Short mmCIF file of all heavy atoms in Angstrom, two decimals:
data_model
loop_
_atom_site.label_atom_id
_atom_site.label_comp_id
_atom_site.label_asym_id
_atom_site.label_seq_id
_atom_site.Cartn_x
_atom_site.Cartn_y
_atom_site.Cartn_z
N LEU A 1275 -11.99 -3.36 -0.44
CA LEU A 1275 -10.65 -3.93 -0.53
C LEU A 1275 -10.08 -4.19 0.87
O LEU A 1275 -9.47 -5.23 1.12
CB LEU A 1275 -9.72 -2.99 -1.29
CG LEU A 1275 -9.93 -2.91 -2.80
CD1 LEU A 1275 -9.09 -1.78 -3.40
CD2 LEU A 1275 -9.58 -4.23 -3.47
N LEU A 1276 -10.29 -3.23 1.78
CA LEU A 1276 -9.77 -3.39 3.13
C LEU A 1276 -10.43 -4.56 3.84
O LEU A 1276 -9.79 -5.26 4.64
CB LEU A 1276 -9.96 -2.10 3.93
CG LEU A 1276 -9.42 -2.11 5.36
CD1 LEU A 1276 -7.93 -2.42 5.38
CD2 LEU A 1276 -9.71 -0.80 6.07
N ALA A 1277 -11.72 -4.80 3.57
CA ALA A 1277 -12.38 -5.96 4.17
C ALA A 1277 -11.69 -7.24 3.74
O ALA A 1277 -11.43 -8.13 4.57
CB ALA A 1277 -13.86 -5.97 3.77
N ASP A 1278 -11.38 -7.37 2.46
CA ASP A 1278 -10.65 -8.54 1.97
C ASP A 1278 -9.28 -8.64 2.63
O ASP A 1278 -8.84 -9.72 3.04
CB ASP A 1278 -10.48 -8.45 0.45
CG ASP A 1278 -11.67 -9.05 -0.29
OD1 ASP A 1278 -12.40 -9.85 0.30
OD2 ASP A 1278 -11.85 -8.71 -1.48
N VAL A 1279 -8.57 -7.52 2.70
CA VAL A 1279 -7.24 -7.51 3.31
C VAL A 1279 -7.31 -7.92 4.78
O VAL A 1279 -6.52 -8.75 5.25
CB VAL A 1279 -6.60 -6.11 3.17
CG1 VAL A 1279 -5.41 -5.94 4.12
CG2 VAL A 1279 -6.15 -5.87 1.73
N TYR A 1280 -8.25 -7.35 5.51
CA TYR A 1280 -8.38 -7.66 6.93
C TYR A 1280 -8.68 -9.15 7.15
O TYR A 1280 -8.05 -9.79 7.99
CB TYR A 1280 -9.48 -6.81 7.55
CG TYR A 1280 -9.89 -7.28 8.93
CD1 TYR A 1280 -9.07 -7.03 10.03
CD2 TYR A 1280 -11.07 -7.99 9.12
CE1 TYR A 1280 -9.43 -7.48 11.30
CE2 TYR A 1280 -11.43 -8.43 10.38
CZ TYR A 1280 -10.62 -8.18 11.46
OH TYR A 1280 -10.96 -8.63 12.72
N LEU A 1281 -9.62 -9.70 6.41
CA LEU A 1281 -9.96 -11.11 6.58
C LEU A 1281 -8.78 -12.01 6.24
O LEU A 1281 -8.51 -12.98 6.94
CB LEU A 1281 -11.17 -11.46 5.71
CG LEU A 1281 -12.49 -10.83 6.13
CD1 LEU A 1281 -13.57 -11.10 5.09
CD2 LEU A 1281 -12.93 -11.33 7.50
N SER A 1282 -8.07 -11.66 5.17
CA SER A 1282 -6.91 -12.46 4.79
C SER A 1282 -5.78 -12.32 5.80
O SER A 1282 -5.11 -13.29 6.14
CB SER A 1282 -6.43 -12.03 3.40
OG SER A 1282 -5.35 -12.83 2.98
N MET A 1283 -5.56 -11.11 6.30
CA MET A 1283 -4.46 -10.85 7.23
C MET A 1283 -4.70 -11.51 8.58
O MET A 1283 -3.76 -11.90 9.27
CB MET A 1283 -4.28 -9.35 7.40
CG MET A 1283 -3.05 -8.95 8.19
SD MET A 1283 -2.61 -7.20 7.99
CE MET A 1283 -4.13 -6.36 8.45
N THR A 1284 -5.95 -11.68 8.97
CA THR A 1284 -6.24 -12.21 10.31
C THR A 1284 -6.54 -13.70 10.33
O THR A 1284 -6.52 -14.31 11.38
CB THR A 1284 -7.45 -11.47 10.94
OG1 THR A 1284 -8.56 -11.52 10.04
CG2 THR A 1284 -7.09 -10.03 11.22
N THR A 1285 -6.82 -14.29 9.16
CA THR A 1285 -7.11 -15.73 9.15
C THR A 1285 -6.36 -16.48 8.09
O THR A 1285 -6.31 -17.70 8.12
CB THR A 1285 -8.61 -15.99 8.92
OG1 THR A 1285 -8.96 -15.58 7.59
CG2 THR A 1285 -9.46 -15.24 9.93
N GLY A 1286 -5.83 -15.78 7.09
CA GLY A 1286 -5.18 -16.47 5.99
C GLY A 1286 -6.17 -17.11 5.04
O GLY A 1286 -5.79 -17.86 4.15
N GLN A 1287 -7.47 -16.83 5.20
CA GLN A 1287 -8.47 -17.44 4.34
C GLN A 1287 -8.44 -16.85 2.94
O GLN A 1287 -7.88 -15.78 2.71
CB GLN A 1287 -9.86 -17.25 4.93
CG GLN A 1287 -10.34 -15.80 4.85
CD GLN A 1287 -11.65 -15.61 5.60
OE1 GLN A 1287 -11.71 -15.66 6.82
NE2 GLN A 1287 -12.71 -15.40 4.86
N VAL A 1288 -9.03 -17.58 1.99
CA VAL A 1288 -9.16 -17.06 0.64
C VAL A 1288 -10.00 -15.81 0.68
O VAL A 1288 -11.04 -15.75 1.34
CB VAL A 1288 -9.82 -18.12 -0.28
CG1 VAL A 1288 -10.04 -17.54 -1.67
CG2 VAL A 1288 -8.97 -19.37 -0.34
N VAL A 1289 -9.58 -14.77 -0.05
CA VAL A 1289 -10.30 -13.51 0.00
C VAL A 1289 -11.68 -13.65 -0.62
O VAL A 1289 -11.91 -14.50 -1.48
CB VAL A 1289 -9.52 -12.39 -0.71
CG1 VAL A 1289 -8.19 -12.16 -0.02
CG2 VAL A 1289 -9.29 -12.72 -2.18
N LEU A 1290 -12.62 -12.83 -0.18
CA LEU A 1290 -14.00 -12.93 -0.61
C LEU A 1290 -14.32 -12.08 -1.82
O LEU A 1290 -15.44 -12.07 -2.30
CB LEU A 1290 -14.92 -12.51 0.56
CG LEU A 1290 -14.81 -13.39 1.80
CD1 LEU A 1290 -15.70 -12.83 2.90
CD2 LEU A 1290 -15.18 -14.83 1.49
N ASP A 1291 -13.31 -11.34 -2.33
CA ASP A 1291 -13.52 -10.51 -3.51
C ASP A 1291 -14.67 -9.54 -3.30
O ASP A 1291 -15.58 -9.43 -4.11
CB ASP A 1291 -13.78 -11.37 -4.74
CG ASP A 1291 -13.60 -10.58 -6.04
OD1 ASP A 1291 -12.95 -9.52 -5.98
OD2 ASP A 1291 -14.11 -11.02 -7.08
N LEU A 1292 -14.65 -8.83 -2.16
CA LEU A 1292 -15.72 -7.90 -1.86
C LEU A 1292 -15.71 -6.69 -2.79
O LEU A 1292 -16.74 -6.10 -3.07
CB LEU A 1292 -15.61 -7.42 -0.41
CG LEU A 1292 -15.69 -8.50 0.67
CD1 LEU A 1292 -15.73 -7.84 2.04
CD2 LEU A 1292 -16.91 -9.38 0.48
N ALA A 1293 -14.53 -6.32 -3.27
CA ALA A 1293 -14.44 -5.13 -4.13
C ALA A 1293 -14.80 -5.51 -5.55
O ALA A 1293 -13.99 -5.45 -6.46
CB ALA A 1293 -13.03 -4.54 -4.07
N PHE A 1294 -16.04 -5.90 -5.73
CA PHE A 1294 -16.47 -6.45 -7.00
C PHE A 1294 -16.91 -5.41 -7.99
O PHE A 1294 -17.05 -5.69 -9.17
CB PHE A 1294 -17.63 -7.43 -6.78
CG PHE A 1294 -18.87 -6.77 -6.23
CD1 PHE A 1294 -19.88 -6.36 -7.07
CD2 PHE A 1294 -19.00 -6.56 -4.86
CE1 PHE A 1294 -21.01 -5.75 -6.56
CE2 PHE A 1294 -20.14 -5.94 -4.36
CZ PHE A 1294 -21.14 -5.54 -5.21
N ASP A 1295 -17.14 -4.20 -7.52
CA ASP A 1295 -17.76 -3.20 -8.40
C ASP A 1295 -17.08 -1.87 -8.20
O ASP A 1295 -17.20 -1.26 -7.15
CB ASP A 1295 -19.25 -3.09 -8.07
CG ASP A 1295 -19.98 -2.14 -9.02
OD1 ASP A 1295 -19.32 -1.61 -9.94
OD2 ASP A 1295 -21.19 -1.94 -8.83
N ALA A 1296 -16.34 -1.44 -9.21
CA ALA A 1296 -15.63 -0.17 -9.09
C ALA A 1296 -16.57 1.02 -9.16
O ALA A 1296 -16.22 2.12 -8.76
CB ALA A 1296 -14.57 -0.05 -10.20
N GLY A 1297 -17.78 0.80 -9.67
CA GLY A 1297 -18.74 1.89 -9.74
C GLY A 1297 -19.30 2.20 -8.38
O GLY A 1297 -19.41 1.33 -7.53
N ALA A 1298 -19.67 3.45 -8.15
CA ALA A 1298 -20.22 3.83 -6.85
C ALA A 1298 -21.41 4.75 -7.08
O ALA A 1298 -21.42 5.55 -8.01
CB ALA A 1298 -19.16 4.55 -6.01
N PRO A 1299 -22.45 4.64 -6.25
CA PRO A 1299 -23.62 5.49 -6.42
C PRO A 1299 -23.30 6.94 -6.13
O PRO A 1299 -22.36 7.24 -5.40
CB PRO A 1299 -24.61 4.93 -5.39
CG PRO A 1299 -23.74 4.25 -4.37
CD PRO A 1299 -22.58 3.72 -5.13
N SER A 1300 -24.07 7.83 -6.69
CA SER A 1300 -23.79 9.26 -6.53
C SER A 1300 -24.60 9.88 -5.40
O SER A 1300 -24.48 11.05 -5.13
CB SER A 1300 -24.11 10.00 -7.84
OG SER A 1300 -25.48 9.84 -8.16
N ARG A 1301 -25.41 9.07 -4.71
CA ARG A 1301 -26.23 9.57 -3.61
C ARG A 1301 -26.09 8.62 -2.43
O ARG A 1301 -25.96 7.42 -2.62
CB ARG A 1301 -27.69 9.64 -4.07
CG ARG A 1301 -28.67 10.09 -2.99
CD ARG A 1301 -28.50 11.57 -2.65
NE ARG A 1301 -29.51 12.01 -1.71
CZ ARG A 1301 -29.46 13.15 -1.06
NH1 ARG A 1301 -28.44 13.97 -1.25
NH2 ARG A 1301 -30.43 13.51 -0.23
N HIS A 1302 -26.09 9.16 -1.20
CA HIS A 1302 -25.88 8.28 -0.06
C HIS A 1302 -27.03 7.28 0.03
O HIS A 1302 -28.17 7.57 -0.29
CB HIS A 1302 -25.75 9.10 1.23
CG HIS A 1302 -27.05 9.50 1.84
ND1 HIS A 1302 -27.77 10.59 1.38
CD2 HIS A 1302 -27.76 8.96 2.86
CE1 HIS A 1302 -28.87 10.71 2.10
NE2 HIS A 1302 -28.89 9.74 3.00
N HIS A 1303 -26.69 6.07 0.46
CA HIS A 1303 -27.69 5.03 0.61
C HIS A 1303 -27.17 3.94 1.52
O HIS A 1303 -25.98 3.83 1.75
CB HIS A 1303 -28.05 4.42 -0.75
CG HIS A 1303 -26.94 3.58 -1.33
ND1 HIS A 1303 -25.80 4.14 -1.85
CD2 HIS A 1303 -26.80 2.23 -1.43
CE1 HIS A 1303 -25.01 3.18 -2.27
NE2 HIS A 1303 -25.58 2.02 -2.02
N ILE A 1304 -28.07 3.13 2.02
CA ILE A 1304 -27.69 1.90 2.70
C ILE A 1304 -28.19 0.77 1.81
O ILE A 1304 -29.39 0.66 1.57
CB ILE A 1304 -28.31 1.79 4.10
CG1 ILE A 1304 -27.74 2.90 4.99
CG2 ILE A 1304 -28.04 0.44 4.73
CD1 ILE A 1304 -28.35 2.97 6.37
N SER A 1305 -27.27 -0.03 1.30
CA SER A 1305 -27.62 -1.03 0.30
C SER A 1305 -27.72 -2.41 0.92
O SER A 1305 -26.93 -2.78 1.77
CB SER A 1305 -26.54 -1.04 -0.80
OG SER A 1305 -26.72 -2.14 -1.65
N LEU A 1306 -28.70 -3.20 0.45
CA LEU A 1306 -28.85 -4.58 0.87
C LEU A 1306 -28.43 -5.53 -0.23
O LEU A 1306 -28.68 -6.73 -0.15
CB LEU A 1306 -30.32 -4.86 1.26
CG LEU A 1306 -30.83 -4.04 2.44
CD1 LEU A 1306 -32.29 -4.37 2.70
CD2 LEU A 1306 -30.01 -4.32 3.69
N GLN A 1307 -27.80 -5.01 -1.27
CA GLN A 1307 -27.38 -5.86 -2.37
C GLN A 1307 -26.27 -6.78 -1.91
O GLN A 1307 -25.34 -6.38 -1.24
CB GLN A 1307 -26.88 -4.98 -3.53
CG GLN A 1307 -26.41 -5.80 -4.73
CD GLN A 1307 -25.96 -4.89 -5.85
OE1 GLN A 1307 -26.07 -3.68 -5.73
NE2 GLN A 1307 -25.48 -5.47 -6.93
N GLY A 1308 -26.33 -8.05 -2.29
CA GLY A 1308 -25.33 -9.03 -1.89
C GLY A 1308 -24.02 -8.81 -2.61
O GLY A 1308 -23.95 -8.16 -3.65
N PHE A 1309 -22.96 -9.38 -2.07
CA PHE A 1309 -21.66 -9.28 -2.68
C PHE A 1309 -21.44 -10.45 -3.63
O PHE A 1309 -21.93 -11.55 -3.39
CB PHE A 1309 -20.54 -9.32 -1.62
CG PHE A 1309 -20.54 -8.13 -0.72
CD1 PHE A 1309 -21.02 -8.21 0.57
CD2 PHE A 1309 -20.05 -6.92 -1.18
CE1 PHE A 1309 -21.02 -7.11 1.39
CE2 PHE A 1309 -20.05 -5.82 -0.36
CZ PHE A 1309 -20.53 -5.91 0.91
N ALA A 1310 -20.69 -10.20 -4.68
CA ALA A 1310 -20.28 -11.29 -5.56
C ALA A 1310 -19.08 -11.98 -4.93
O ALA A 1310 -18.06 -11.37 -4.70
CB ALA A 1310 -19.90 -10.74 -6.94
N ILE A 1311 -19.22 -13.24 -4.61
CA ILE A 1311 -18.16 -13.99 -3.93
C ILE A 1311 -17.58 -14.99 -4.92
O ILE A 1311 -18.31 -15.66 -5.65
CB ILE A 1311 -18.71 -14.71 -2.68
CG1 ILE A 1311 -19.26 -13.66 -1.71
CG2 ILE A 1311 -17.62 -15.55 -2.02
CD1 ILE A 1311 -19.88 -14.26 -0.48
N THR A 1312 -16.29 -15.08 -4.95
CA THR A 1312 -15.64 -15.98 -5.88
C THR A 1312 -16.03 -17.41 -5.57
O THR A 1312 -16.34 -17.78 -4.43
CB THR A 1312 -14.11 -15.84 -5.79
OG1 THR A 1312 -13.72 -15.98 -4.42
CG2 THR A 1312 -13.67 -14.48 -6.29
N ALA A 1313 -16.01 -18.26 -6.60
CA ALA A 1313 -16.40 -19.67 -6.43
C ALA A 1313 -15.45 -20.37 -5.48
O ALA A 1313 -14.26 -20.05 -5.41
CB ALA A 1313 -16.38 -20.36 -7.79
N ARG A 1314 -15.99 -21.34 -4.75
CA ARG A 1314 -15.16 -22.09 -3.83
C ARG A 1314 -14.18 -22.96 -4.62
O ARG A 1314 -14.51 -23.44 -5.71
CB ARG A 1314 -16.02 -22.97 -2.92
CG ARG A 1314 -17.03 -22.19 -2.11
CD ARG A 1314 -17.66 -23.10 -1.06
NE ARG A 1314 -18.78 -22.50 -0.39
CZ ARG A 1314 -18.74 -21.45 0.39
NH1 ARG A 1314 -17.61 -20.86 0.59
NH2 ARG A 1314 -19.81 -20.98 0.98
#
Side-chain angles (χ1 to χ4, degrees):
L1275 286 172
L1276 182 58
D1278 272 339
V1279 164
Y1280 167 75
L1281 292 173
S1282 183
M1283 188 164 55
T1284 54
T1285 67
Q1287 70 187 70
V1288 176
V1289 298
L1290 298 177
D1291 196 19
L1292 300 187
F1294 64 95
D1295 184 2
S1300 61
R1301 177 71 175 167
H1302 83 279
H1303 70 287
I1304 295 176
S1305 170
L1306 298 178
Q1307 180 179 357
F1309 293 104
I1311 299 177
T1312 52
R1314 302 190 189 294

